[in-house]
Amino acid sequence: RDFIPDNRVSFQDPPCSFTQVTDDMGTKQWIVDAFTDKLFNGNQAAVMVLKRWPEDSLLQSIAKENNYSETAYLVPGATPADWELRWFTPGVEIELCGHATLAAAWVLYNKGFVPPETPEVRLKTRLRGTLVVSKAEGGFLSMSFPRLQTVKAPLPDYLRPLFNPDDIIDTVQDSTGPGKGGDFMVVLRSPEAVQKFVTDDKLVAKLPMRGLTITAAYPTPKEYCLRGFFPAVGISEDPVTGSAHCLAAPYWHEKWGLGPYVASSANQICPSRSGNMKCRVTSDRVILKGEVREFSESTVRVSKL
């Protein structure tokens, strides 16, 4: 509690006062590329650190104005390592987002919001519990996400025109069933089939869940690729979707018989941008490790923040 960086967050009494922002200054916003070691790759996210939660409609309006796949909002908790986190697409608030969580933690660590020696930050979400992000070697951040279980599910008839039947190995979905938080996943025979896939937003949006992911294994050991499509929440194709690997990584790790201390490499191969991460899978968690690159720092001049 003695750590008070210049012009950042004070955790004195009251425990969470925000001294960086004044009405005439506006609120800082960072745009970063997550799950990449190169600028202009990975997935873009906007990150804002707020004094308190404003109206949801304002958070949604800012996310729509940003027009990135996700805008992440943080509000201080009881200690420098505890924060509340929410994510908004241009269209809706979502339950879970990997790349914007990585981006939010990177801002906390690199913009003076937590003491540099803090080993981990705990991000309390509204629907997915508390997500823990910790520092890792080489400038990486490591995130602990909930493991999602897969169940066999038939390919809906309305999606069949999108696929060559000979390319399909398996079709599964999140075991929690229909709902905007889960995904339907199609396993294809090769990375080339994943690359060549052409989506149709109207058809994919019919899914009674968050969206569609397609995946395939590389010939090299412990490596797979993935693409994610989420038009129901306003995203035609997401460049890198950390939360999708909460379903895909356990699927592949079970196929390959990998233990909890063995990592796989996951590549997301969106035609416009690409990204990568390391994945480990335990009995109830998926550990995603990735890098972040900063693109910009700006000021949002909205007085109601």
Side-chain angles (χ1 to χ4, degrees):
R1 289 182 178 272
D2 294 332
F3 178 83
I4 306 175
D6 292 342
N7 297 322
R8 302 295 179 179
V9 178
S10 168
F11 292 96
Q12 300 203 349
D13 190 17
C16 299
S17 62
F18 192 90
T19 59
Q20 178 182 336
V21 180
T22 64
D23 290 339
D24 59 338
M25 288 171 60
T27 303
K28 289 288 183 67
Q29 176 173 265
W30 290 268
I31 308 299
V32 300
D33 295 337
F35 290 120
T36 182
D37 61 354
K38 298 177 181 178
L39 199 59
F40 310 121
N41 278 284
N43 202 353
Q44 302 153 298
V47 180
M48 297 182 70
V49 182
L50 308 175
K51 295 178 283 188
R52 62 188 70 85
W53 291 117
E55 294 292 330
D56 287 3
S57 59
L58 179 56
L59 298 176
Q60 187 63 72
S61 293
I62 293 171
K64 183 178 180 181
E65 183 77 9
N66 283 334
N67 203 32
Y68 293 115
S69 55
E70 273 82 22
T71 296
Y73 300 101
L74 292 155
V75 166
T79 77
D82 290 284
W83 298 78
E84 295 179 25
L85 173 64
R86 296 171 70 182
W87 313 272
F88 284 74
T89 75
V92 297
E93 182 174 10
I94 57 174
E95 292 184 13
L96 184 66
C97 179
H99 86 277
T101 300
L102 192 73
W106 186 91
V107 166
L108 293 178
Y109 272 119
N110 289 274
K111 298 300 176 179
F113 291 104
V114 298
E117 68 275 10
T118 305
E120 65 181 31
V121 290
R122 296 174 291 275
L123 308 176
K124 182 180 178 182
T125 72
R126 297 202 166 188
L127 295 171
R128 293 291 185 169
T130 298
L131 308 176
V132 177
V133 185
S134 58
K135 288 184 174 181
E137 294 181 358
F140 284 78
L141 291 174
S142 180
M143 305 188 298
S144 175
F145 269 42
R147 173 178 176 165
L148 303 181
Q149 301 294 332
T150 60
V151 293
K152 295 280 188 178
L155 182 68
D157 289 340
Y158 52 81
L159 291 184
R160 292 187 181 277
L162 301 180
F163 295 93
N164 179 343
D166 294 335
D167 286 336
I168 298 175
I169 292 177
D170 204 356
T171 54
V172 299
Q173 70 180 34
D174 179 357
S175 63
T176 56
K180 293 304 179 185
D183 294 331
F184 190 91
M185 189 170 75
V186 179
V187 183
L188 300 181
R189 290 193 179 278
S190 68
E192 291 74 23
V194 173
Q195 286 181 313
K196 292 177 181 178
F197 178 81
V198 178
T199 190
D200 183 310
D201 286 353
K202 290 183 179 180
L203 296 180
V204 176
K206 291 182 179 181
L207 283 166
M209 53 193 66
R210 184 180 68 163
L212 169 71
T213 60
I214 59 175
T215 183
Y218 285 103
T220 50
K222 299 179 295 185
E223 188 173 11
Y224 68 91
C225 65
L226 182 143
R227 291 174 68 188
F229 308 90
F230 312 102
V233 295
I235 304 166
S236 178
E237 180 170 5
D238 200 28
V240 187
T241 314
S243 58
H245 296 270
C246 295
L247 191 69
Y251 176 89
W252 287 116
H253 279 229
E254 286 183 5
K255 289 285 186 185
W256 296 330
L258 302 183
Y261 300 105
V262 180
S264 64
S265 296
N267 300 296
Q268 204 145 337
I269 51 176
C270 173
S272 60
R273 302 169 72 97
S274 61
N276 54 78
M277 67 193 74
K278 298 291 186 181
C279 307
R280 287 195 300 108
V281 178
T282 71
S283 60
D284 63 344
R285 308 297 291 179
V286 174
I287 313 301
L288 306 175
K289 190 165 72 170
E291 296 181 83
V292 173
R293 293 295 181 265
E294 180 181 6
F295 173 68
S296 68
E297 179 179 319
S298 60
T299 300
V300 176
R301 300 193 181 280
V302 178
S303 60
K304 292 182 181 180
L305 291 174

